[in-house]
Amino acid sequence: MNDIKAVEVFAGTSWESGLVKSLLENAEIEVFVQDEIQGNLVPWYTSPGGTSSIRLVVSSEDEEKAREVVNQYMTDIARR
């Protein structure tokens, strides 16, 4: 039996999460946003210190491909 689970692949600000969500969707990965409203209104409630308060979640079946997309994004940001 195949156990499919939800896996968090990214956590960031509203702007960053929106950008990474678009990259994941362009890679044909279904992605869900977790804590979007609370992360914007009361970020310290969803994340210690209020940083990285919005999370992106994918199916465990897409985890490897999603992590590649996120890692490429992080590498590109670090180069700037």
Side-chain angles (χ1 to χ4, degrees):
M1 181 176 233
N2 195 2
D3 292 327
I4 299 173
K5 299 177 183 176
V7 179
E8 180 183 315
V9 292
F10 183 80
T13 64
S14 178
W15 182 84
E16 285 180 308
S17 297
L19 182 61
V20 175
K21 180 178 183 277
S22 292
L23 294 171
L24 291 167
E25 289 173 338
N26 287 342
E28 298 181 1
I29 298 170
E30 190 171 4
V31 57
F32 300 93
V33 180
Q34 186 176 12
D35 297 328
E36 184 173 21
I37 294 172
Q38 287 183 334
N40 281 319
L41 296 177
V42 284
W44 59 89
Y45 184 75
T46 60
S47 175
T51 60
S52 302
S53 57
I54 300 174
R55 294 165 176 75
L56 299 180
V57 178
V58 300
S59 165
S60 57
E61 292 180 329
D62 295 326
E63 180 181 8
E64 185 177 335
K65 186 176 177 183
R67 291 206 185 275
E68 288 175 15
V69 171
V70 172
N71 288 339
Q72 183 62 49
Y73 166 77
M74 298 302 284
T75 300
D76 291 347
I77 290 299
R79 289 184 184 163
R80 294 178 187 195

